[in-house]
Amino acid sequence: MEPSTATTRERLLEAASELFAHRGFRGASARAISAQAGANAAAISYHFRGKRGLYEAVLTHAPPGQPGCIGATESVDRPADPASRRLRVFIHGWLSRLRGNGFDAWQAQVAARELVEPVGGLSHEAQDAALRPLVQLETLVRGILPHASDEAVRYSVLSIAGQCLFYFNCRTIIHRLNPSHRMAREEVMLTADHIARFSMAGMTIAACQRNSDDRGRSVGNLR
Amino acid sequence: MEPSTATTRERLLEAASELFAHRGFRGASARAISAQAGANAAAISYHFRGKRGLYEAVLTHAPPGQPGCIGATESVDRPADPASRRLRVFIHGWLSRLRGNGFDAWQAQVAARELVEPVGGLSHEAQDAALRPLVQLETLVRGILPHASDEAVRYSVLSIAGQCLFYFNCRTIIHRLNPSHRMAREEVMLTADHIARFSMAGMTIAACQRNSDDRGRSVGNLR
Amino acid sequence: MEPSTATTRERLLEAASELFAHRGFRGASARAISAQAGANAAAISYHFRGKRGLYEAVLTHAPPGQPGCIGATESVDRPADPASRRLRVFIHGWLSRLRGNGFDAWQAQVAARELVEPVGGLSHEAQDAALRPLVQLETLVRGILPHASDEAVRYSVLSIAGQCLFYFNCRTIIHRLNPSHRMAREEVMLTADHIARFSMAGMTIAACQRNSDDRGRSVGNLR
Amino acid sequence: MEPSTATTRERLLEAASELFAHRGFRGASARAISAQAGANAAAISYHFRGKRGLYEAVLTHAPPGQPGCIGATESVDRPADPASRRLRVFIHGWLSRLRGNGFDAWQAQVAARELVEPVGGLSHEAQDAALRPLVQLETLVRGILPHASDEAVRYSVLSIAGQCLFYFNCRTIIHRLNPSHRMAREEVMLTADHIARFSMAGMTIAACQRNSDDRGRSVGNLR
DNA sequence: CATGAATGAGCCTTCATTCAT
DNA sequence: CATGAATGAAGGCTCATTCAT
């Protein structure tokens, strides 16, 4: 419990990001956070006006010297690369954070949880921070499908995000499905490759089919 | 609702499935469940040996006269249909349950939450029940990719499941991304179509690429 | 901390009435009340839905077998006695409660505090219970001044109530003003006599003057 | 408000007097006071050795250039006026402060609260400051009843003070008793008139009766 | 002279569970 | 079978104060 060198505020942010990432908003008690930070429980209310304020701060905090935030990768802004490659880099970056350790990773994991199970009453800033990866994905997908409808782009964005976010939680699941499987260090890269390839094919092919489809009939045929 | 028609046990199961589906395991308090069931709070401990037992019961409960359980659809067992169509039917069925009401739907939603955020210490039976949709998906995908490696199949299963589960939670997200969007009644069918098309393309094309790829190089190039 | 013979609910009411009377709503902590009642702190929330509910229950509780409540004395309902005597009896009864011990007395003291420093958000029932002594006083004064205006009656009611309530708090004050003074057992009767005599004279004489007065001038002369 | 015009000490006094007057000692938090004063929370401990010291300072503070304090009015010191008129002027002055705004008014209101619900452990100086209005009243009443016993004078003092203090709190009460009543601007003067008239009659007549009464019998008859 | 930071104590409430009836 | 009563644990928060700067 040595206060170490960092500010209490910073230690609280660090501890909170880790515990929020691992246990969720409700599961991480303010007492546990302050204990892990080596601080008094009241310090959370003092510095962040309560547990929710701390949660928002974790979502919106940009470490000093780092330009972007949660899902920030340069890939989005380097249009020189081919679109498919930029998508793969983005996915790999996101997946790395969703599986990694350290403040950036935990922050991304908190944002991922926030997407799936939102905590009520957050500031718009915090909500936007959680949505940032999706917005960036939208830009990337729009670059890949320049002529697609907004709806088609949105569908693809959700498909890609769904895969990435699910892989965030799939450690447990894979282990249950195949207990003999050992999660390798390079697993993240293989997974990113898979999602990128899978999604590139899905987007491009499906977009063609969608355009030439008689949508009503296919839906009607379902039953 | 009607405190006399069904036994207390059944009313507790019904109320619990709904509240667990809507608010999750932690968010649904035992008091709220017993209140909604018109029963005493102690009834939960009495009938199910505690809140966790009730949760497990919701996951493993098979309504009388109904053969299967959570993800049970006939599509898996009717190999006459083309594989792609069976996949589409399965996805549509799952999505319908993830968006619907009634015990079956709530049960599926509880299972979905359990996949994404597992409650610790469940019985193997309950865990298996939550995993059933993934197992069924595995059978379907194996039918679509007869010659693929187990790993490739597992990847595809997770990709499809990720999309479906994310669409379960995406009402809020879509609304935030595009506040003007109104969720239509037929949305589920369109979404199922999209996921099926997207995933069929992803699976088939990606499988080819994966086979012919120099995997190491592509991963190495990533950084 | 023996639970004695009374219900936990009753013991809580008893302890709460005493502590609320002595320390006020804020000053009496829920912990202290439950401790004095020999009960668990959570029992308050269980039986009364929180501290405020307990406070309301103290105000509105009518002990079994007792017809009226807080300021209930028979004097109001026995129009056979001369009005002045009924007033004296009422004042004496009220003062006795404001100075005494036991549930009835503490209840009256809580109501007195509630008049002077209201606790926000109480039910109408509780508010009415606190006001009951004033309403009864109004009836008595109306009997004494049958032809006076409503305003004159209200003024007199407040004057009498003001005296009684202030005597409730004046133990400390008298002691400070005249430290040698010993508060005798018969003090309450003497005080009631004084207030009754003082107020009877004030009401009757002042009412005459008020009627024959040029009110505007007297007020104008004030400055 | 203007953080530079007055010293921090003075701004704290001003803010504290207002908040103590409106919310009482417990209800006014040190944070709220320092915030309203535009000062740091620690300033209270620094300047006044804690919240209680600030409270004492509010009670004992005499604004520079002003001779008297809380209940100070010239009426007490001008024996030329008839006693009844001096009483009326005193009552009006007190009531005006108990209903008004500004430091003097808030100070009087704090003193009034202190009479009704004393804060423990105050210095003698502060206690005396709160009692000053009663002492002044005693002088006035002694002038009106030159031959009465000390006890009779004290009784009358408490009766008058009780009325005045209760009118301080009666805004809420009157509103509850008679919701249609609108508190007029001139209400204070009318009320002062009433209390003065009521009390003059009470004092003079009651004093006669008291002298000629068989006290024991009347008290004995009470039950 | 003033402040931001930090603290320990205390507050009220909710929760899942247990027990006697 | 079912229930009302009761409980201990934990949770988030506010408060007045202290301390180093």
Side-chain angles (χ1 to χ4, degrees), chain A residues 85 88 92 113 115 117 154-155 159 163 167 169 176 178 189 193-194 197 209 218-219 222, chain B residues 92 113 116-117 127 154-155 159 163 167 169 173 178 189 193-194 197 209 218-219 221-222:
Chain A
R85 177 176 164 80
R88 183 152 46 100
H92 179 262
R113 277 180 177 273
L115 284 181
E117 185 167 21
R154 196 165 51 238
Y155 269 128
S159 282
Q163 294 175 73
Y167 275 104
N169 296 106
R176 283 198 214 159
N178 182 4
M189 298 189 194
D193 269 12
H194 162 76
R197 222 184 296 116
Q209 290 180 353
S218 79
V219 171
L222 206 59
Chain B
H92 180 262
R113 278 180 176 272
V116 166
E117 183 167 22
Q127 294 188 16
R154 194 166 51 240
Y155 270 129
S159 282
Q163 293 175 75
Y167 274 105
N169 296 106
I173 293 169
N178 182 7
M189 298 189 194
D193 266 13
H194 162 78
R197 221 183 297 117
Q209 290 180 354
S218 79
V219 170
N221 281 345
L222 207 58

Side-chain angles (χ1 to χ4, degrees), chain D residues 179-201:
Chain D
S180 67
H181 180 80
R182 281 307 322 131
M183 192 69 65
R185 176 63 52 91
E186 58 174 350
E187 183 73 12
V188 169
M189 298 187 194
L190 294 179
T191 304
D193 267 12
H194 161 78
I195 297 181
R197 221 184 297 117
F198 189 99
S199 301
M200 280 303 297

Side-chain angles (χ1 to χ4, degrees), chain C residues 7-9 31 38-40 42-43 46-47:
Chain C
T7 306
T8 295
R9 210 191 121 94
R31 276 182 154 77
N40 187 289
Y46 175 75
H47 284 286

Side-chain angles (χ1 to χ4, degrees), chain D residues 30-125:
Chain D
R31 285 190 115 77
I33 292 172
S34 51
Q36 171 147 347
N40 188 285
I44 291 179
S45 288
Y46 179 78
H47 284 286
F48 302 96
R49 293 200 294 178
K51 188 185 180 184
R52 178 168 299 161
L54 175 55
Y55 186 76
E56 292 178 338
V58 167
L59 281 174
T60 57
H61 179 68
Q66 209 148 334
C69 196
I70 287 174
T73 53
E74 331 79 88
S75 78
V76 180
D77 311 324
R78 277 191 315 187
D81 285 349
S84 69
R85 177 174 163 79
R86 278 187 286 148
L87 177 66
R88 183 150 45 98
V89 171
F90 175 86
I91 291 174
H92 179 264
W94 199 10
L95 244 53
S96 297
R97 271 188 293 277
L98 290 179
R99 281 282 174 85
N101 278 315
F103 183 85
D104 287 5
W106 294 325
Q107 189 182 42
Q109 291 159 28
V110 173
R113 278 180 176 272
E114 174 62 21
L115 285 180
V116 167
E117 184 167 22
V119 170
L122 294 190
S123 69
H124 275 288
E125 199 184 354

Side-chain angles (χ1 to χ4, degrees), chain A residues 88 186-187 189-191 193-194 197, chain B residues 149 151-152 155 207 209-222:
Chain A
R88 183 152 46 100
E186 60 174 352
E187 182 73 12
M189 298 189 194
L190 295 179
T191 304
D193 269 12
H194 162 76
R197 222 184 296 116
Chain B
S149 68
E151 190 191 14
Y155 270 129
Q209 290 180 354
R210 167 186 286 260
N211 288 339
S212 64
D213 235 17
D214 177 7
R215 199 178 307 159
R217 190 164 51 109
S218 79
V219 170
N221 281 345
L222 207 58

Side-chain angles (χ1 to χ4, degrees), chain A residues 7-9 31 38-40 42-43 46-47:
Chain A
T7 305
T8 295
R9 210 190 119 94
R31 277 181 154 79
N40 187 290
Y46 175 74
H47 284 287

Side-chain angles (χ1 to χ4, degrees), chain C residues 23-24 26-28 85 88-89 92-93 96 113-119 127-128 130-131 134-135 138 151-152 154-163 165-167 169-170 172-174 176-178 181 186-187 189-195 197-203 205-207 209-210 213 215 218-223, chain D residues 23-24 26-28 85 88-89 92 96 113-119 126-128 130-131 134-135 138 151-152 154-163 165-167 169-170 172-174 176-178 181 186-187 189-195 197-203 205-207 209-210 213 215 218-223:
Chain C
R23 306 185 199 167
R26 307 189 67 145
R85 177 175 164 78
R88 183 151 45 98
V89 171
H92 180 263
S96 297
R113 278 179 177 274
E114 174 63 21
L115 284 181
V116 166
E117 184 166 23
V119 169
Q127 293 188 15
D128 287 349
L131 283 178
L134 294 196
V135 174
E138 199 169 21
E151 192 193 11
R154 196 165 49 238
Y155 269 130
S156 293
V157 165
L158 295 182
S159 282
I160 300 173
Q163 294 174 73
L165 292 174
F166 193 49
Y167 276 104
N169 296 107
C170 76
T172 319
I173 292 169
I174 286 185
R176 282 198 214 159
L177 280 179
N178 180 4
H181 182 82
E186 59 175 354
E187 181 74 13
M189 298 188 195
L190 295 179
T191 304
D193 269 11
H194 162 76
I195 297 181
R197 224 184 295 117
F198 189 98
S199 301
M200 280 302 298
M203 277 188 288
I205 306 285
Q209 289 181 355
R210 168 187 285 260
D213 237 16
R215 200 179 306 161
S218 80
V219 171
N221 281 346
L222 208 59
R223 311 213 139 201
Chain D
R23 307 185 199 168
R26 304 189 75 123
R85 177 174 163 79
R88 183 150 45 98
V89 171
H92 179 264
S96 297
R113 278 180 176 272
E114 174 62 21
L115 285 180
V116 167
E117 184 167 22
V119 170
Q127 293 189 18
D128 288 349
L131 284 176
L134 295 195
V135 174
E138 199 169 21
E151 191 191 12
R154 194 166 52 239
Y155 270 130
S156 292
V157 165
L158 295 181
S159 282
I160 300 173
Q163 294 176 73
L165 291 174
F166 193 49
Y167 275 103
N169 296 107
C170 76
T172 316
I173 292 169
I174 286 185
R176 281 199 214 161
L177 280 180
N178 182 6
H181 180 80
E186 58 174 350
E187 183 73 12
M189 298 187 194
L190 294 179
T191 304
D193 267 12
H194 161 78
I195 297 181
R197 221 184 297 117
F198 189 99
S199 301
M200 280 303 297
M203 277 188 290
I205 305 286
Q209 289 180 355
R210 167 187 285 260
D213 239 15
R215 201 178 304 160
S218 78
V219 171
N221 281 345
L222 206 58
R223 299 232 146 197

Side-chain angles (χ1 to χ4, degrees), chain A residues 111-184:
Chain A
R113 277 180 177 273
E114 173 63 20
L115 284 181
V116 166
E117 185 167 21
V119 170
L122 296 190
S123 69
H124 273 289
E125 199 183 354
Q127 293 189 16
D128 288 349
L131 283 177
R132 200 155 306 160
L134 295 196
V135 174
Q136 295 181 327
L137 251 185
E138 198 170 21
T139 303
L140 284 172
V141 170
R142 169 55 71 199
I144 294 172
L145 302 175
H147 309 302
S149 68
D150 282 357
E151 191 192 12
V153 168
R154 196 165 51 238
Y155 269 128
S156 292
V157 165
L158 294 182
S159 282
I160 300 173
Q163 294 175 73
C164 293
L165 291 175
F166 193 50
Y167 275 104
F168 162 48
N169 296 106
C170 77
R171 239 176 307 206
T172 317
I173 292 169
I174 286 185
H175 188 67
R176 283 198 214 159
L177 280 179
N178 182 4
S180 68
H181 182 80
R182 278 311 312 137
M183 191 70 63

